[in-house]
Amino acid sequence: MPDRTTQAGQAAPARRRRLTAAQRRESILGAATEVFAAAGYRAAKMSDVAARVGVSEPVIFQNFGTKDALFAAVLDRLASGIHAELEDVAGHHSPAAALLAHILNPATERSHHAPGSPYALFAEAAVLVADPASGEPARRTARVITSHLADLVRSAQAEGGIRAGIDPEAAAWLLLSVLSARPLRAAAMPRPSRLEPAVAALALAALAPTPPRPSPDTTAPDSTSSTAPHQQK
């Protein structure tokens, strides 16, 4: 058997395992997610994605064609993972209304949308909605997320945690609007540590069940009852 060592006695480098087309695509998407999250869509370079994967830049274009198409695929990949993540988190936050409160919690949002986090791309997607090239993937991503949120609203309505008469789709877009505008508030809002939780609380209060009206107090004295003093004749 041949000795797999160099003349200096060092082990020869192991041959790199050849990836399937699906594995190659997934590795590119993972690297692109990191690059787009760190640099932003406009500043991200395809050469940086290629360097992270360990391939030449033409390989990236062979798999996705354009930077716009790669960014669209990254958004689709993130959006498709939202449902699985929500189901996982739902196991720790029951009923569904508690899960919605967890999603709107500023602490949860800070961890997901910190600079460099893949979820920071959702905020950037909201900005790119009007872009001719990237607008449709961004709009598609928003629709996928609101679809998942609407399902949560329906579950919360069935459990009595959200008012029954509310349109689940409208509620989902309200929640997404609160989430997607958080970077704007973080940059411009004074005293965010006090106001940001208040904004989340207002959104949840708008969906909360209407408290039952108190029933009339039948024990109150009636001025016309027989117990009222008789008028002297």
Side-chain angles (χ1 to χ4, degrees), residues 9 13 53 55 61 86 128 151 155 161 174 225:
V53 179
V55 298
F61 288 104
L86 288 177
L128 293 172
D151 288 340
S155 298
L174 169 64
S225 66

Side-chain angles (χ1 to χ4, degrees), residues 77-87 119 122 144-145 148:
R77 179 174 181 261
L78 285 175
S80 64
I82 286 291
H83 192 208
E85 181 173 339
L86 288 177
E87 287 186 338
Y119 289 90
F122 288 137
V144 170
I145 296 174
H148 297 327

Side-chain angles (χ1 to χ4, degrees), residues 3-7 9-15:
D3 185 7
R4 292 181 56 83
T5 59
T6 63
Q7 292 182 351
Q10 297 176 339
R15 179 177 298 176

Side-chain angles (χ1 to χ4, degrees), residues 46 50 55-65:
M46 300 289 271
V55 298
S56 63
E57 190 172 345
V59 172
I60 308 298
F61 288 104
Q62 289 169 7
N63 280 268
F64 291 93

Side-chain angles (χ1 to χ4, degrees), residues 25-26 29-38 70-86 112-114 116-126 137-138 140-146 148:
R25 179 181 175 86
E26 183 61 25
L29 286 174
T33 299
E34 296 174 358
V35 171
F36 283 130
L70 176 58
F71 185 67
V74 165
L75 289 181
D76 287 342
R77 179 174 181 261
L78 285 175
S80 64
I82 286 291
H83 192 208
E85 181 173 339
L86 288 177
H112 275 180
H113 291 74
S117 167
Y119 289 90
L121 290 175
F122 288 137
E124 183 161 2
R140 186 168 62 247
T141 298
R143 289 192 291 265
V144 170
I145 296 174
T146 52
H148 297 327

Side-chain angles (χ1 to χ4, degrees), residues 17-224:
R17 181 172 61 89
R18 185 176 182 84
L19 299 179
T20 65
Q23 290 171 333
R24 173 67 71 200
R25 179 181 175 86
E26 183 61 25
S27 67
I28 293 173
L29 286 174
T33 299
E34 296 174 358
V35 171
F36 283 130
Y41 167 72
R42 301 190 189 282
K45 298 178 180 179
M46 300 289 271
S47 58
D48 291 338
V49 177
R52 284 179 182 257
V53 179
V55 298
S56 63
E57 190 172 345
V59 172
I60 308 298
F61 288 104
Q62 289 169 7
N63 280 268
F64 291 93
T66 65
K67 179 181 177 181
D68 294 330
L70 176 58
F71 185 67
V74 165
L75 289 181
D76 287 342
R77 179 174 181 261
L78 285 175
S80 64
I82 286 291
H83 192 208
E85 181 173 339
L86 288 177
E87 287 186 338
D88 180 64
V89 176
H92 303 89
H93 298 275
S94 182
L99 177 55
L100 289 172
H102 171 75
I103 293 171
L104 286 181
N105 188 316
T108 303
E109 189 74 359
R110 280 194 296 271
S111 64
H112 275 180
H113 291 74
S117 167
Y119 289 90
L121 290 175
F122 288 137
E124 183 161 2
V127 177
L128 293 172
V129 163
D131 187 276
S134 305
E136 178 51 36
R139 289 189 291 271
R140 186 168 62 247
T141 298
R143 289 192 291 265
V144 170
I145 296 174
T146 52
S147 175
H148 297 327
L149 290 175
D151 288 340
L152 283 178
V153 171
R154 293 186 185 95
S155 298
Q157 286 177 317
E159 296 165 352
I162 287 183
R163 193 159 64 252
I166 289 177
D167 185 331
E169 292 186 15
W173 282 105
L174 169 64
L175 295 172
L176 182 62
S177 298
V178 172
L179 292 172
S180 61
R182 190 159 278 168
L184 170 64
R185 295 195 299 275
M189 176 188 287
R191 303 182 303 279
S193 60
R194 181 180 71 83
L195 292 177
E196 189 58 45
V199 171
L202 282 173
L204 291 173
L207 307 179
T210 303
R213 294 183 178 180
S215 57
D217 189 355
T218 57
T219 63
D222 188 350
S223 60
T224 61

